[in-house]
């Protein structure tokens, strides 16, 4: 089967708020893979977060602001626009349906998220729909439990071309410029009345201040 050599690459997240750790990872992957764009997909009603997540429309707007000047990054609002809880499986199925069977689909996750995969609904079917790139993240070593160790060994490839030559089925573990930034840290700084400047784009920080998000006073 002839596979389209421009994979569809996406990174899902709560993006509460989006920060330079997300943006830099997405851009480095786009350049490394030589794909046209990396698509950012903010979750609507996240199923994994156990704190009061900022309303989806605000999170989506911040992702749009962050990607506005970066044409290598695109934004997909399908999870925010849906009125049902956000499940990665549903998103993946919709991409596969739209893109057909001959386009490589690559889902990008940070190492922390990758290691929790068995808690995601339908996770054991993900590789029948896409490839997964797990990116190293400072503070989250690659320390897989038995399930993830087995899963990684069974599917890992070390040649990125394999992610382009097939439509789905592989895991690739990738080191990018390590940026130890998290949205939790940013929310915490704002609550303490400190500035998170330079951890996230200025336009996102301005939006947070204007809309008094995360307890900004
Ligand atoms: P929170 O602290 O609220 O969990 P977060 O910074 O982890 O926020 P998420 O929206 O939860 O951001 O993450 C979305 C995706 O981006 C996940 O796959 C996560 O692992 C990845 N990610 C987040 N921050 C980084 C970073 N600094 N470097 C690499 N990947 C990251
Ligand atoms: Mg997170």
């Amino acid at each position: 089967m002839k596979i389209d050599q421009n994979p569809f690459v996406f990174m899902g997240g709560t993006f509460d708020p989006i920060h330079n750790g997300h943006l830099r990872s997405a851009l480095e992957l786009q350049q490394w893979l030589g794909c046209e764009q990396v698509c950012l997909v903010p979750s609507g009603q996240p199923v994994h977060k156990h704190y009061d997540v900022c309303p989806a429309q605000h999170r989506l707007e911040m992702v749009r602001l962050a990607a506005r000047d970066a044409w290598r990054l695109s934004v997909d609002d399908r999870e925010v626009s849906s009125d049902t809880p956000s499940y990665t499986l549903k998103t993946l199925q919709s991409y596969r349906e739209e893109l057909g069977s001959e386009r490589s689909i690559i889902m990008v996750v940070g190492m922390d998220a990758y290691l929790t995969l068995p808690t995601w609904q339908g996770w054991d079917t993900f590789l029948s729909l896409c490839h997964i790139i797990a990116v190293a993240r400072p503070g989250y070593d690659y320390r897989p439990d038995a399930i993830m160790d087995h899963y990684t060994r069974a599917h890992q490839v070390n040649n990125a071309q394999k992610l382009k030559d097939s439509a789905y089925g592989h895991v690739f573990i990738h080191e990018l410029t390590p940026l130890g930034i998290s949205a939790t840290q940013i929310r915490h700084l704002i609550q303490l009345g400190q500035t998170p400047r330079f951890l996230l784009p200025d336009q996102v920080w301005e939006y947070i201040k204007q809309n008094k998000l995360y307890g900004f006073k």
Side-chain angles (χ1 to χ4, degrees):
M1 187 189 294
K2 180 92 181 76
I3 301 293
D4 180 337
Q5 290 286 306
N6 177 35
F8 173 74
V9 186
F10 77 99
M11 178 192 269
T14 316
F15 301 130
D16 193 20
I18 188 151
H19 54 67
N20 291 345
H22 302 125
L23 292 161
R24 184 68 209 168
S25 302
L27 196 60
E28 281 190 21
L29 276 172
Q30 179 276 320
Q31 293 178 96
W32 177 72
L33 284 163
C35 58
E36 204 168 288
Q37 290 189 311
V38 170
C39 183
L40 303 167
V41 189
S43 60
Q45 306 169 39
V47 279
H48 287 283
K49 298 277 171 168
H50 302 294
Y51 67 92
D52 215 358
V53 172
C54 181
Q57 284 303 335
H58 279 315
R59 291 183 290 104
L60 171 63
E61 190 51 33
M62 290 188 279
V63 173
R64 285 194 169 133
L65 284 170
R68 198 178 47 190
D69 307 324
W71 75 272
R72 291 297 188 179
L73 303 183
S74 60
V75 184
D76 183 359
D77 67 359
R78 72 183 56 209
E79 291 193 2
V80 172
S81 307
S82 158
D83 45 17
T84 55
S86 297
Y87 285 103
T88 300
L89 178 62
K90 199 170 60 180
T91 302
L92 270 173
Q93 285 166 332
S94 64
Y95 283 142
R96 182 49 76 198
E97 217 162 281
E98 283 164 33
L99 299 172
S101 58
E102 293 175 28
R103 181 97 183 258
S104 165
I105 297 178
I106 301 178
M107 175 166 76
V108 180
V109 292
M111 189 52 74
D112 57 315
Y114 178 69
L115 295 176
T116 66
L117 223 56
T119 64
W120 300 19
Q121 196 181 75
W123 77 286
D124 51 348
T125 61
F126 289 0
L127 288 179
S128 64
L129 294 161
C130 70
H131 299 300
I132 298 175
I133 296 183
V135 299
R137 185 172 178 188
Y140 300 94
D141 288 346
Y142 177 66
R143 258 197 244 119
D145 59 18
I147 298 176
M148 285 314 285
D149 189 36
H150 180 260
Y151 183 79
T152 306
R153 281 164 194 268
H155 303 288
Q156 189 176 9
V157 291
N158 296 311
N159 178 353
Q161 186 58 37
K162 293 205 167 139
L163 305 179
K164 294 185 181 180
D165 291 342
S166 52
Y168 55 86
H170 300 309
V171 169
F172 192 98
I173 297 188
H174 195 38
E175 297 271 346
L176 301 165
T177 303
L179 289 169
I181 303 172
S182 73
T184 301
Q185 171 199 13
I186 292 170
R187 294 192 300 272
H188 189 61
L189 286 173
I190 298 170
Q191 270 150 20
L192 293 176
Q194 294 178 1
T195 179
R197 221 183 148 199
F198 306 126
L199 297 174
L200 72 179
D202 279 343
Q203 60 270 34
V204 174
W205 176 220
E206 288 305 316
Y207 185 91
I208 291 171
K209 289 191 280 188
Q210 272 164 20
N211 292 279
K212 298 198 168 16
L213 305 181
Y214 309 116
F216 174 79
K217 288 193 190 76

